[in-house]
Amino acid sequence: MSIETPASAPAIADPAPLGLLGFGFTTLMLSLSNAHLFNSSDGVGLVLALAVFYGGGAQLVAGIWDFRRGNLLGATAFFSYGSFWLIFWYWAKEEGVNSEEVEERII
């Protein structure tokens, strides 16, 4: 007589490295752009691209991923920071007509 156990769902990996790197790297690039270490148009484009995809999108995914794992603190933090970066991107794109105006508004 054998006892069959139901197949369990595969374990979900920890999303903290993705969320922390998304926040840290995007924040670092914004800080370097604010310090004028990039050409103005290159720096703004880089920061906005990172804000929408890495800082925003990846952190939203990490927040949902953490929620699925049952970590509500991580889910709240990553989802909030991801939302912040998406709002930052939207604000900069809507308010700035060109990269010089966006840079002036960011700084």
Side-chain angles (χ1 to χ4, degrees), residues 1 5 8 10-12 40-41 44-45 49-51 54 59-61 66 69-70 81 85 88 92 94 98 101 105-106:
M1 187 159 116
T5 57
S8 62
I12 299 174
S40 64
S41 61
V44 170
L50 284 171
Y54 200 42
Q59 282 191 4
L60 284 179
V61 169
D66 238 354
R69 291 188 70 202
Y81 283 126
W85 282 115
F88 176 81
E94 286 297 313
N98 59 34
E101 289 181 19
R105 291 176 193 268
I106 291 174

Side-chain angles (χ1 to χ4, degrees), residues 6-99:
S8 62
I12 299 174
D14 187 11
L18 174 65
L20 292 173
L21 282 173
F23 177 73
F25 190 65
T26 307
T27 304
L28 174 69
M29 290 297 119
L30 177 61
S31 298
L32 293 176
S33 178
N34 285 342
H36 299 289
L37 295 177
F38 297 126
N39 184 1
S40 64
S41 61
D42 295 339
V44 170
L46 175 65
V47 168
L48 291 180
L50 284 171
V52 72
F53 292 108
Y54 200 42
Q59 282 191 4
L60 284 179
V61 169
I64 294 168
W65 200 347
D66 238 354
F67 185 79
R68 173 72 174 92
R69 291 188 70 202
N71 181 3
L72 296 182
L73 178 64
T76 303
F78 291 140
F79 203 87
S80 297
Y81 283 126
S83 299
F84 164 77
W85 282 115
L86 289 175
I87 291 168
F88 176 81
W89 169 80
Y90 180 78
W91 170 80
K93 292 303 275 186
E94 286 297 313
E95 293 293 320
V97 176
N98 59 34
S99 60

